[in-house]
């Protein structure tokens, strides 16, 4: 790996994910090809909008297997590196923007569960975020007052600092109860009261079901519901910015599942909620929040049940009439993922061959001519370049590499052309056959590797 050293953990994640047709959470920087204009446009959203008291809304559009999830994961990793809080969730039958059986609340809970920061990129960072805030406030008070935590005045100064922070979000909807719960959490944290602390966390995560229970446990008159969950995400976005992060970036993958809602009323209710989010972001109401959806062209363009069937969304999402004939504009909300060129696919396959060789500790014998031949064979089998997606071709390549690794009698060219190896195997001494590129001390080499 000449471009950038890759860790075994990253190479393991990349190979396992690509071989199963999914997107790895880590190590994507080692396999990114093309997409530079799209990535730059979305990073501009983060740097010049979300981080600068603004907000952004994007819809990444491409056919199945075109790399939508990959793109979202790349931007997620960049956002973490830039000190944003991120959260992500797949839209599904159980998790929608709104619903009659708590689907919106289910989406909110999933987002909080998957909340991540740079030091906790895998998720489950929500409670640590609050603890980080508590510790940071205490350090600030110690530095500014020269008092230690055992000084009676220290607690009062910290209380004042907490109140000062929370007053800054008082103009937002539901901010009073939100600030009250955070104050309760702070006091429980100070007093070591795990019961009250857990109640505050339950409320913030939207896990209370009855308002009467909320009133009894926490003495507030509101809670996160299917209708208001987005307001709480905006509160979190402003709160995170106040405690030292640049904002909150939220990723909604598989938005095509909104298109698949069979009930017209339910589908349109979700489109109405999507419109609300779009308007909120683009009319200057929301701050420090980025919303990124992914979906198929069918989701957007189908005139009967796609987003364009909802006139208010069509008029906002429709691209400029001048963005044609290879001219692209990222001024609008939609980012379309063009099919990777043959040159870009070639580079991607090169990278995967190098990563496979690095991970299994062998010197690759696969040449550029082999890769070109592989692409020609796969393209011919599928029938047309337009149906060739990165997901399919990378999965096939890793399958071939694994076949060669397991049986050193197989050659790259023979595998991709489907030649018969029975005769050659029978002539070989089975005792002398060893897997090609055998791993040295494999048990110790892979100890501790996780995705």
């Amino acid at each position: 790996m000449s471009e950038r050293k890759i860790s075994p953990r990253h190479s393991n994640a990349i190979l396992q994910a690509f071989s199963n047709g999914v997107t790895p959470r880590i190590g994507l920087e080692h396999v990114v090809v093309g997409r530079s204009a799209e990535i730059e446009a979305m990073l501009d959203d983060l740097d010049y909008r979300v981080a600068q008291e603004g907000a952004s809304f994007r819809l990444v559009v491409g056919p199945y297997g075109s790399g939508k999830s990959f793109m979202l994961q790349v931007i997620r990793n960049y956002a973490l590196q830039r000190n944003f809080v991120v959260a992500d969730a797949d839209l599904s039958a159980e998790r929608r923007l709104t619903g009659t059986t708590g689907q919106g609340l289910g989406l909110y809970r999933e987002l909080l569960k998957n909340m991540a920061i740079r030091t906790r990129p895998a998720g489950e960072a929500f409670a640590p975020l609050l603890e980080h805030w508590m510790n940071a406030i205490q350090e600030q008070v110690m530095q500014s007052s020269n008092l230690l935590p055992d000084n009676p005045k220290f607690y009062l100064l910290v209380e004042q600092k907490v109140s000062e922070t929370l007053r800054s979000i008082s103009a937002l909807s539901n901010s009073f109860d939100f600030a009250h719960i955070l104050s309760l959490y702070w006091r429980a944290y100070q007093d070591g009261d795990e019961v009250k602390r857990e109640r505050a966390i339950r409320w913030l995560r939207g896990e209370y079901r009855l308002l009467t229970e909320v009133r009894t446990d926490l003495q507030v008159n509101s809670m996160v519901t299917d209708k208001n969950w987005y307001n709480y995400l905006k509160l979190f976005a402003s709160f995170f910015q106040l405690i030292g992060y640049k904002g909150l970036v939220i990723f909604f993958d598989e938005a095509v599942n909104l298109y698949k809602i069979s009930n017209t009323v339910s589908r349109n209710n979700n489109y109405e909620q999507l419109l609300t989010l779009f308007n909120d972001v683009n009319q200057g109401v929301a701050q420090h929040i980025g919303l990124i959806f992914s979906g198929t062209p069918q989701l957007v363009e189908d005139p009967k049940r796609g987003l364009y069937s909802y006139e208010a969304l069509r008029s906002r999402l429709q691209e400029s009439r001048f963005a044609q004939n290879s001219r692209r504009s990222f001024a609008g909300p939609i980012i379309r993922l063009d099919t990777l060129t043959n040159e870009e696919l070639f580079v991607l396959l090169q990278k995967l061959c190098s990563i496979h060789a690095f991970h299994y500790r062998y010197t690759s014998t696969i040449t550029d001519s082999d890769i070109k031949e592989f692409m020609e064979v796969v393209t011919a089998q599928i029938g047309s370049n337009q149906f060739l997606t990165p997901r399919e071709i990378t999965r096939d390549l890793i399958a071939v590499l694994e076949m060669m690794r397991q049986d050193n009698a197989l050659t790259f060219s023979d595998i991709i052309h489907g030649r018969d190896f029975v005769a050659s195997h029978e002539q070989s001494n089975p005792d002398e056959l060893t897997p090609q590129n055998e791993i040295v001390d494999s048990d110790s080499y892979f100890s501790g590797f996780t995705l």
Side-chain angles (χ1 to χ4, degrees):
M1 301 300 297
S2 58
E3 294 181 7
R4 186 184 304 181
K5 184 165 178 62
I6 182 172
S7 70
R9 179 169 179 261
H10 283 188
S11 61
N12 183 53
I14 289 169
L15 295 174
Q16 183 168 348
F18 273 85
S19 65
N20 290 287
V22 298
T23 301
R25 279 276 191 177
I26 57 177
L28 289 175
E29 64 272 19
H30 299 288
V31 288
V32 174
V33 296
R35 312 297 193 207
S36 57
E38 295 90 338
I39 291 172
E40 183 178 353
M42 298 178 79
L43 293 183
D44 281 349
D45 287 349
L46 301 186
D47 293 335
Y48 299 111
R49 293 180 179 176
V50 180
Q52 303 294 330
E53 299 187 3
S56 69
F57 181 105
R58 288 288 187 179
L59 177 55
V60 179
V61 177
Y64 287 108
S66 62
K68 298 184 297 299
S69 297
F70 186 93
M71 173 64 73
L72 263 59
Q73 195 62 48
V74 168
I75 301 303
R76 179 186 183 275
N77 290 353
Y78 277 125
L80 287 172
Q81 294 169 14
R82 282 165 159 75
N83 200 36
F84 289 89
V85 179
V86 304
D88 59 271
D90 290 350
L91 295 177
S92 66
E94 296 77 29
R95 296 188 295 270
R96 299 174 182 169
L97 301 180
T98 188
T100 57
T101 56
Q103 290 96 330
L105 193 54
L107 177 61
Y108 172 85
R109 291 170 180 165
E110 184 72 6
L111 289 171
L112 263 67
K113 184 183 79 171
N114 294 335
M115 198 165 276
I117 53 178
R118 185 166 46 194
T119 56
R120 285 180 175 259
E124 300 287 355
F126 176 62
L129 269 167
L130 296 182
E131 293 182 11
H132 165 76
W133 174 50
M134 305 299 172
N135 294 330
I137 286 180
Q138 292 182 82
E139 290 178 7
Q140 292 171 16
V141 171
M142 281 191 288
Q143 291 176 2
S144 62
S145 67
N146 291 322
L147 296 178
L148 295 176
D150 58 357
N151 190 302
K153 294 182 179 180
F154 181 83
Y155 185 84
L156 295 176
L157 290 175
V158 172
E159 281 276 356
Q160 292 175 6
K161 190 71 175 176
V162 170
S163 298
E164 178 185 324
T165 301
L166 298 178
R167 276 198 300 272
S168 301
I169 59 175
S170 60
L172 298 174
S173 298
N174 306 109
S175 61
F176 181 81
D177 286 346
F178 183 81
H180 177 70
I181 295 298
L182 287 176
S183 295
L184 287 178
Y185 181 91
W186 160 249
R187 295 189 192 101
Y189 180 85
Q190 283 292 105
D191 297 339
D193 191 332
E194 288 299 322
V195 174
K196 290 183 179 179
R197 189 174 165 189
E198 182 58 30
R199 287 174 178 174
I201 288 288
R202 279 187 62 202
W203 188 90
L204 292 167
R205 286 177 173 161
E207 294 174 355
Y208 275 98
R209 295 184 178 276
L210 299 174
L211 190 55
T212 53
E213 188 180 7
V214 170
R215 289 169 176 158
T216 300
D217 287 353
L218 300 165
Q219 292 76 54
V220 294
N221 292 309
S222 67
M223 63 182 191
V224 185
T225 67
D226 213 56
K227 295 182 178 180
N228 67 9
W229 60 267
Y230 172 63
N231 290 336
Y232 287 91
L233 291 180
K234 290 196 294 181
L235 283 165
F236 278 122
S238 294
F239 172 68
F240 294 149
Q241 191 274 332
L242 289 171
I243 65 174
Y245 294 90
K246 290 185 177 179
L248 173 62
V249 185
I250 305 173
F251 299 88
F252 302 91
D253 205 357
E254 302 294 344
V256 68
N257 283 308
L258 301 182
Y259 169 85
K260 293 179 179 179
I261 299 174
S262 58
N263 184 277
T264 302
V265 174
S266 296
R267 188 171 62 250
N268 285 340
N269 285 342
N270 275 269
Y271 289 172
E272 177 68 27
Q273 181 67 12
L274 186 68
L275 176 65
T276 298
L277 270 57
F278 180 92
N279 288 339
D280 191 72
V281 164
N282 288 285
Q283 292 176 346
V285 177
Q287 290 184 321
H288 301 295
I289 191 168
L291 307 177
I292 303 176
F293 291 79
S294 76
T296 62
Q298 192 178 34
L299 161 72
V300 178
E301 298 163 2
D302 189 314
K304 292 185 178 180
R305 52 190 296 172
L307 298 179
Y308 280 6
S309 70
Y310 200 83
E311 177 58 29
L313 279 174
R314 186 196 63 77
S315 63
R316 287 162 172 79
L317 298 178
Q318 202 161 39
E319 294 150 286
S320 168
R321 68 193 68 187
F322 297 106
Q324 300 175 13
N325 302 323
S326 301
R327 293 190 298 266
R328 305 183 67 191
S329 170
F330 297 113
I334 291 181
I335 289 185
R336 291 189 183 271
L337 298 185
D338 293 335
T339 303
L340 290 179
T341 65
N342 285 341
E343 292 76 13
E344 290 167 340
L345 275 174
F346 178 82
V347 173
L348 175 59
L349 299 183
Q350 279 184 319
K351 289 175 179 286
L352 288 176
C353 287
S354 296
I355 290 171
H356 193 274
F358 163 81
H359 188 70
Y360 292 109
R361 305 167 106 183
Y362 67 88
T363 300
S364 177
T365 59
I366 297 173
T367 66
D368 289 352
S369 296
D370 289 332
I371 296 177
K372 291 177 182 177
E373 186 178 7
F374 171 79
M375 293 176 64
E376 291 171 359
V377 169
V378 174
T379 301
Q381 289 175 348
I382 293 176
S384 174
N385 278 330
Q386 68 182 10
F387 298 116
L388 186 63
T389 67
R391 177 183 296 167
E392 294 167 330
I393 197 169
T394 55
R395 185 167 51 197
D396 284 346
L397 177 70
I398 293 177
V400 173
L401 296 177
E402 281 298 300
M403 291 177 197
M404 294 178 64
R405 189 174 73 86
Q406 297 299 326
D407 189 341
N408 68 349
L410 305 182
T411 69
F412 189 84
S413 181
D414 286 338
I415 293 173
I416 65 177
H417 288 293
R419 297 183 184 125
D420 190 1
F421 309 101
V422 175
S424 62
H425 282 202
E426 287 177 348
Q427 294 171 6
S428 303
N429 184 344
D431 295 332
E432 294 178 356
L433 288 179
T434 57
Q436 181 180 353
N437 315 317
E438 184 177 7
I439 299 171
V440 178
D441 191 17
S442 60
D443 290 339
S444 62
Y445 182 66
F446 282 101
S447 62
F449 284 6
T450 56
L451 278 176

